[in-house]
Amino acid sequence: MSAARLSVVTAVAVVAALAAVSGCSEKTDAKASDAIQVTATDDSCKVSKTSFPAGHVKFAFENKGSKVNELYVYAPGDKIVTERENIGPGTKADISAELKAGDYEVTCKPGMKGDGLRTKVSVTGAGAPKKNDPRLDTAVAEYRKWAQSEADATIPKVKVFTDAVIKGDIEGAKAAFAPSRTGWESTEPIAESFGDIDPKTDTREDGLEPGQKWTGWHKLEKSLWATKAISADDKVLAAQLLTDLTGWQKRVGTAEITPTSMANGAKELLDEVATGKITGEEDRYSHTDLSDFKSNVDGAQKAYELLKPVASQNNPELAKELDKQFAAINTLLAKYRTGDTFVSYDTVNAAQRKELSDGVNALAEPLSKLAAAVAK
């Protein structure tokens, strides 16, 4: 949700406030000797090295500004190699990645908006990664297979939704909206890595860049729940949504996936929950946020479960804590399930939202250490 995730200032403030209340400032284990230091303010992004060897790279990010920030590493064409969202003012975060030789841009996004403040870096050497534990190779292969199956299962559900819109069936489209999104939400880091699909399909109105036409799920969501009418343009947008998502389905198998990108992607999915679902910003018209919330958690848990054999060997206490926190957040979400779906998020009161936020924060902190555990 790279464009959709560019939340309004209000949402960012809410997230920062919740984080402060819950004490979820992220600890960093990176050392100056083995990490690229990235220091951000509201108007600067300083990178300690602009040339470094290929292979496993650790970025130690510190946000010295007053705004929530993000770190991206882009390959040419704005292909996202790794990212970390929701890094609050005065906090730090470690981000690990496997980088091949080539040119990249290290990017800070103060306020989580726009193209960000970019620094060109050069990664040198043959780019051959260290030999993986065979269990990690299996994890990557299984994750790729799972992500493809999620994409394949999504398209028929999207077609039910878009067919209803094209027929002018408002109630049918409403019923199909949340189910059409589950596979996308569970695998969203892969979709975001392509750069161009997410802005077309999953952008919220306040996340639009200058000159960008609003298309995708949330434009149709507004028509169904707020405008309560389906226009001729909506029918065109529905057909385009199916086309765009079919393109995503066909590209999933080409995504570059590494053990660290799986681990970072799991953390990104928790950041998605914090910046969109907890605040109610994501599905603000339909209030189907909890369905997306569960899909994000499921996607993060899938990546963790596949990496767990290595993570539990390298850091057994971390694995124990992750098992505990995934169980806790799933138990908490189950309280809001009604049949095959979830209660409307506008019926979840402030105290309950705070409880959900605390659960997300309790999981996000150990999950941020998963990449380091599998990269040892």
Side-chain angles (χ1 to χ4, degrees), residues 36-366:
I36 309 301
Q37 306 294 317
V38 182
T39 306
T41 67
D42 293 345
D43 55 11
S44 69
C45 182
K46 296 181 180 179
V47 183
S48 63
K49 299 177 183 178
T50 56
S51 181
F52 41 87
H56 178 70
V57 179
K58 184 184 292 183
F59 296 91
F61 184 94
E62 182 174 8
N63 183 4
K64 291 187 174 182
S66 63
K67 301 176 181 179
V68 176
N69 215 312
E70 298 176 315
L71 176 71
Y72 285 77
V73 178
Y74 289 113
D78 276 3
K79 182 177 180 181
I80 300 171
V81 177
T82 192
E83 64 176 301
R84 176 66 58 82
E85 306 167 7
N86 195 29
I87 306 171
T91 63
K92 301 178 181 181
D94 288 349
I95 303 93
S96 297
E98 293 290 338
L99 298 182
K100 298 178 180 179
D103 295 324
Y104 299 85
E105 289 182 319
V106 176
T107 303
C108 307
K109 288 192 178 182
M112 302 196 297
K113 285 185 174 291
D115 291 332
L117 305 168
R118 303 191 176 204
T119 299
K120 294 183 183 297
V121 299
S122 176
V123 178
T124 60
K130 66 179 182 181
K131 185 174 178 58
N132 270 340
D133 183 317
R135 294 172 296 176
L136 293 178
D137 292 334
T138 299
V140 169
E142 289 299 312
Y143 185 75
R144 187 183 301 278
K145 186 188 302 182
W146 170 79
Q148 187 65 64
S149 70
E150 289 288 287
D152 292 345
T154 294
I155 300 306
K157 296 176 183 178
V158 171
K159 192 171 188 307
V160 172
F161 172 63
T162 57
D163 281 354
V165 173
I166 292 168
K167 292 175 183 176
D169 179 3
I170 291 178
E171 294 307 314
K174 283 183 175 181
F177 176 75
S180 75
R181 292 174 53 75
T182 56
W184 171 272
E185 289 290 333
S186 65
T187 63
E188 197 163 3
I190 288 179
E192 290 176 351
S193 74
F194 297 126
D196 60 337
I197 297 176
D198 186 87
K200 297 177 183 177
T201 59
D202 203 24
T203 301
R204 299 197 303 264
E205 189 170 16
D206 51 17
L208 294 171
E209 298 292 345
Q212 179 184 353
K213 181 181 179 180
W214 192 17
T215 59
W217 269 301
H218 295 300
K219 169 63 175 73
L220 298 172
E221 178 197 6
K222 183 176 183 180
S223 294
L224 294 170
W225 274 273
T227 308
K228 299 180 181 179
I230 296 172
S231 68
D233 186 51
D234 289 332
K235 295 179 181 182
V236 172
L237 293 180
Q240 186 61 47
L241 177 63
L242 180 60
T243 297
D244 290 337
L245 289 170
T246 300
W248 156 71
Q249 174 206 16
K250 292 177 179 178
R251 292 170 68 182
V252 165
T254 69
E256 186 170 334
I257 300 171
T258 66
T260 52
S261 76
M262 287 171 59
N264 288 331
K267 178 60 168 62
E268 290 161 27
L269 287 168
L270 264 291
D271 290 338
E272 290 278 351
V273 175
T275 57
K277 285 69 175 181
I278 291 296
T279 62
E281 291 291 308
E282 178 72 9
D283 299 315
R284 63 188 66 173
Y285 307 109
S286 63
H287 305 299
T288 56
D289 305 85
L290 288 173
S291 176
D292 286 0
F293 188 145
K294 182 64 166 71
S295 295
N296 288 158
V297 170
D298 287 348
Q301 188 165 9
K302 182 66 177 182
Y304 164 61
E305 292 292 348
L306 290 171
L307 296 170
K308 183 178 174 180
V310 173
S312 60
Q313 178 179 310
N314 292 343
N315 193 335
E317 288 303 313
L318 176 64
K320 182 178 178 181
E321 182 65 15
L322 284 169
D323 287 342
K324 174 185 172 182
Q325 296 302 337
F326 270 117
I329 198 68
N330 280 311
T331 298
L332 187 55
L333 279 168
K335 292 168 53 176
Y336 300 96
R337 186 174 283 282
T338 172
D340 294 332
T341 185
F342 290 87
V343 301
S344 181
Y345 197 58
D346 59 348
T347 68
V348 179
N349 64 37
Q352 292 169 323
R353 294 187 184 201
K354 174 62 166 56
E355 183 182 30
L356 287 165
S357 176
D358 288 345
V360 170
N361 291 333
L363 173 57
E365 198 280 328

